[in-house]
Amino acid sequence: DAGITQSPRHKVTETGTPVTLRCHQTENHRYMYWYRQDPGHGLRLIHYSYGVKDTDKGEVSDGYSVSRSKTEDFLLTLESATSSQTSVYFCAISGQGSGYTFGSGTRLTVV
Amino acid sequence: GENVEQHPSTLSVQEGDSAVIKCTYSDSASNYFPWYKQELGKRPQLIIDIRSNVGEKKDQRIAVTLNKTAKHFSLHITETQPEDSAVYFCAEMRETSGSRLTFGEGTQLTVNP
C-alpha cells in the first residue's frame, strides 16, 4: 500500500547460513536504503543505493552485502549469519533530498 | 561524521498536556530535518519535516522548530492524546550526502489517560 514491500516478514535461520532479504518498490525512486533497528540504537544505516548497480556502505556494513540490478529491487545479503545480526531490518525509499518511506520490516532471528 | 543527539529518551505526560522532544546535530551543512513516529510493531512513518530555510512549521497539533545557529530542532505536540503514544525519531540530512538520513536514538512518548 505504501509502494514498498519487504520479504520475508519473519525469518529464523541458523548461524553460518546465508540469508537474503528483498525490498521491492513501485515508486520508481532513485534512492533505496537498508537499516537495522535494535533496542538502544535507533535506526542504523547498513547500505544504500543511489541507482542501478550504484551502492555504498553505511555505518554498520560489516557482514552485509547488497545488490541492485533493477530500479525496483534492492537485496540485502548476510553471507554467513551471526547471532549479532538478529534484528529488525527496514528498507526505505526516497526521492532526492526528501523523507523516506519505510517498508514493513523483516524480523530476523539467528539461532 | 554526522551525529544526532535526541532527548529525552523517555517522556510521560498526561492526556491534554504538551510534549517537547529536542534534537541537536553537529553538521552545519545539514539542511533537511524530518520527524518519524513508530508505533509498536509498525514501520516508522513521517509526520512532519522542515528545511533549513524555514524556522517553524505546523500541522494541526504538531509543530517543528529549527534553530540553525544553535544546531537544534524540536518537535512539539500539543493537546496530547493516548494515540500519540509511540517512539519518535528525529533525523537530519545533508543534500550532498546521497540523501542519507542520520537518526536520533528515539524518544518513547507515553500519554496517560
Side-chain angles (χ1 to χ4, degrees), chain A residues 15 36-38 44 62-64 78 80-89 108-111:
Chain A
T15 299
R36 60 178 288 174
Q37 185 172 35
D38 305 289
R44 293 182 293 175
D62 287 350
Y64 302 94
L78 290 66
S80 177
T82 67
S83 59
S84 64
Q85 294 176 311
T86 292
S87 187
V88 179
Y89 292 85
L108 177 68
T109 303
V110 183
V111 298

Side-chain angles (χ1 to χ4, degrees), chain B residues 15-30:
Chain B
E15 183 176 0
D17 287 350
S18 295
V20 180
I21 303 169
K22 182 176 176 178
C23 288
T24 59
Y25 61 98
S26 56
D27 190 345
S28 57
S30 297

Side-chain angles (χ1 to χ4, degrees), chain A residues 9 37 43 88 90 102-105 107, chain B residues 35-47 61 77 81-89 106-111:
Chain A
R9 292 294 310 276
Q37 185 172 35
L43 291 152
V88 179
F90 283 101
F102 283 90
S104 297
R107 185 172 295 276
Chain B
W35 285 88
Y36 289 82
K37 175 183 180 182
Q38 186 178 28
E39 296 175 350
L40 189 62
K42 302 263 182 88
R43 74 184 82 189
Q45 293 199 293
L46 179 68
I47 55 172
R61 294 186 299 107
I77 306 174
Q81 302 165 3
E83 50 265 39
D84 294 330
S85 296
V87 178
Y88 291 81
F89 292 98
T107 297
Q108 173 68 62
L109 173 64
T110 303
V111 180

Side-chain angles (χ1 to χ4, degrees), chain A residues 18-37:
Chain A
V19 177
T20 295
L21 309 183
R22 181 179 183 244
C23 180
H24 178 79
Q25 62 149 328
T26 58
E27 303 297 318
N28 201 35
H29 280 324
R30 176 182 177 187
Y31 297 97
M32 298 185 76
Y33 313 84
W34 278 107
Y35 282 82
R36 60 178 288 174
Q37 185 172 35

Side-chain angles (χ1 to χ4, degrees), chain A residues 35-109:
Chain A
Y35 282 82
R36 60 178 288 174
Q37 185 172 35
D38 305 289
H41 291 280
L43 291 152
R44 293 182 293 175
L45 181 64
I46 305 170
H47 282 280
Y48 67 102
S49 170
Y50 45 96
V52 174
K53 291 185 168 49
D54 291 324
T55 65
D56 206 348
K57 296 178 180 180
E59 61 180 305
V60 290
S61 60
D62 287 350
Y64 302 94
S65 62
V66 290
S67 65
R68 191 167 178 201
S69 59
K70 298 185 289 184
T71 297
E72 56 266 36
D73 290 326
F74 192 33
L75 304 180
L76 176 71
T77 297
L78 290 66
E79 302 291 346
S80 177
T82 67
S83 59
S84 64
Q85 294 176 311
T86 292
S87 187
V88 179
Y89 292 85
F90 283 101
C91 177
I93 59 176
S94 79
Q96 175 95 30
S98 63
Y100 294 177
T101 299
F102 283 90
S104 297
T106 296
R107 185 172 295 276
L108 177 68
T109 303

